[in-house]
Amino acid sequence: MTACLLLVCACGQAPERAPAAEVTPEPLPAEEAAPVAEEPAEAPAAAEPAEPALPPLAFPEELRFPPGDFTHAEILDAIGRTPSRQFKPVGTTSVVFRMRLRSEHTAAFKPRSRQHRAGHLKEVAAYRLARMLALENVPPATVRRVPLGRIRDRMHRRYDDEETWEEIRDWVLVEGSGQLPGAAIYWIPAMANLRLERPEAMREWRPWLTLGEPIPEAKRALARDLSRMLAFDYLIANWDRLSGGNMSGLEDGSRLLVRDHNVAFAAPLPEEVHARVLGRLRFAQRFSRAFIERVRRLDREALERALRGTEGEEEVGEPLLGPAQIAGVLERRRVLLSYVGALIDEHGEEAVLAFE
């Protein structure tokens, strides 16, 4: 402030005066020179300890698919590499095969089709994002190419007729090399339709995700799964979850298994679809602390790293998601974190991040 005042005085217009004669002071004798005391230098302010830098977000090393018999890495290796031995059509609204393998595991094979040209890519993209976010209850999925002739040769005998085969061949989109690209998705051996999308079921479980409402201890793991599902579906813009048949889980009903993502990642996302998935996100006021922490660390680099998958997986040959789809995920991430942050500001972190 003093410097500013001096500058104003120096620059302000004042009446002209005759310059005073310069007077050169005589120097004092050395022995009479007054000592100048140096002011002690101010101690630098103590720097706040910097928070340790977090390593880049990466796939968890030990992620086990419920109920926990196999890791995701073991399942991915089996469904991506093990030779096939039989194909059985099982789709009701799209082309899907149960692909039996020469291993203890089985896969669903969702090929590229006229109905869902990019459906197989969306399935793999959704899984890789889920794995990056440590969602152990999303079935492993990977890209796989199968020669069309091999499917014909190994077709289940019940469907081994020319009429069925012609219908299948008309639906699928084969590469020039005769290979049929698709998504190999873990076939869950023991699964039940929990029918949690029904109104009476929703009246039961929605209070578990509402602040201030009790959560039965026996339902706590299921409540966490539901909360993570709603947030994940918002991230990937999956509007189809509550349409029926997409709320399956373990046979004892203790865990939810989050699958079927071939209509996710619409870009541009229609306003009415965004309103639908955002409305469902707001069913949840309680969230998993570990999940939200990983969402906070999910930047563009981490997302692109997730979409590349792991070493040894078959090359996709085309991007799983385009630039607009990636931008959509990151924008919905921002909205999700803003929503959770507002709840924390009002109700406190312990109440909102109620699940591990």
Side-chain angles (χ1 to χ4, degrees):
M1 179 64 76
T2 304
C4 293
L5 290 174
L6 289 174
L7 183 60
V8 171
C9 293
C11 297
Q13 294 180 354
E16 295 185 6
R17 295 180 181 176
E22 292 187 7
V23 177
T24 303
E26 294 183 4
L28 292 173
E31 64 272 11
E32 296 182 18
V36 178
E38 293 185 2
E39 295 184 5
E42 292 185 7
E48 295 184 5
E51 294 185 5
L54 294 172
L57 195 61
F59 291 133
E61 291 186 5
E62 281 293 323
L63 200 63
R64 306 190 76 85
F65 189 78
D69 297 332
F70 301 100
T71 67
H72 280 236
E74 291 169 336
I75 295 170
L76 279 172
D77 185 66
I79 66 176
R81 299 186 182 198
T82 308
S84 59
R85 60 185 179 88
Q86 187 190 72
F87 293 85
K88 179 183 179 181
V90 294
T92 54
T93 59
S94 59
V95 180
V96 184
F97 298 96
R98 183 188 68 187
M99 181 172 64
R100 291 199 179 277
L101 306 169
R102 299 188 185 280
S103 86
E104 59 187 314
H105 298 296
T106 299
F109 181 64
K110 289 189 175 184
R112 183 174 67 176
S113 68
R114 298 183 188 280
Q115 184 181 11
H116 297 293
R117 291 175 178 266
H120 64 299
L121 301 177
K122 294 176 179 180
E123 289 281 7
V124 177
Y127 167 67
R128 290 180 180 176
L129 174 56
R131 189 182 182 193
M132 185 65 88
L133 297 176
L135 295 179
E136 74 286 346
N137 58 335
V138 175
T142 189
V143 173
R144 183 159 178 162
R145 287 174 174 80
V146 180
L148 188 64
R150 183 175 301 166
I151 297 177
R152 180 70 181 93
D153 293 341
R154 299 177 182 178
M155 185 68 70
H156 189 283
R157 63 178 180 274
R158 188 183 303 169
Y159 303 93
D160 190 15
D161 60 86
E162 285 303 318
E163 183 179 353
T164 300
W165 178 246
E166 287 298 325
E167 185 178 351
I168 290 172
R169 192 168 62 180
D170 287 345
W171 272 102
V172 299
L173 295 173
V174 184
E175 294 177 340
S177 61
Q179 300 277 343
L180 181 59
I185 306 167
Y186 181 48
W187 185 280
I188 304 166
M191 181 177 66
N193 186 350
L194 303 183
R195 305 184 189 281
L196 295 174
E197 75 282 358
R198 292 187 170 185
E200 59 272 22
M202 293 181 68
R203 283 193 293 271
E204 179 184 10
W205 62 257
R206 283 188 58 179
W208 305 343
L209 310 184
T210 303
L211 291 166
E213 295 291 334
I215 308 173
E217 191 57 37
K219 300 293 186 180
R220 193 167 184 84
L222 181 59
R224 183 189 66 156
D225 287 345
L226 287 161
S227 170
R228 295 191 306 175
M229 176 201 73
L230 293 171
F232 180 64
D233 278 348
Y234 179 70
L235 278 177
I236 67 173
N238 182 34
W239 52 267
D240 192 41
R241 181 70 62 198
L242 304 183
S243 62
N246 294 327
M247 300 281 278
S248 300
L250 297 182
E251 291 180 309
D252 63 2
S254 63
R255 297 294 307 276
L256 182 67
L257 304 175
V258 182
R259 63 194 188 96
D260 289 335
H261 304 114
N262 63 331
V263 298
F265 300 109
L269 186 64
E271 289 185 9
E272 63 272 17
V273 176
H274 181 258
R276 184 188 303 182
V277 293
L278 180 60
R280 291 172 182 172
L281 169 65
R282 289 172 175 161
F283 289 175
Q285 297 178 334
R286 290 168 166 154
F287 294 89
S288 158
R289 181 181 296 272
F291 174 77
I292 293 299
E293 284 303 320
R294 292 187 79 88
V295 172
R296 286 171 177 159
R297 295 169 59 195
L298 183 74
D299 55 15
R300 178 178 294 274
E301 289 74 18
L303 176 56
E304 291 176 347
R305 195 161 52 248
L307 294 176
R308 289 195 291 270
T310 55
E311 186 177 351
E313 291 190 78
E314 186 167 342
E315 292 292 331
V316 179
E318 57 184 311
L320 292 179
L321 299 179
Q325 292 170 308
I326 290 174
V329 172
L330 295 174
E331 172 58 18
R332 290 188 294 275
R333 167 192 173 272
R334 184 193 65 79
V335 174
L336 168 61
L337 293 178
S338 176
Y339 171 64
V340 174
L343 287 171
I344 290 173
D345 289 345
E346 184 174 354
H347 302 283
E349 190 172 278
E350 290 302 317
V352 176
L353 303 184
F355 305 118
E356 65 277 4

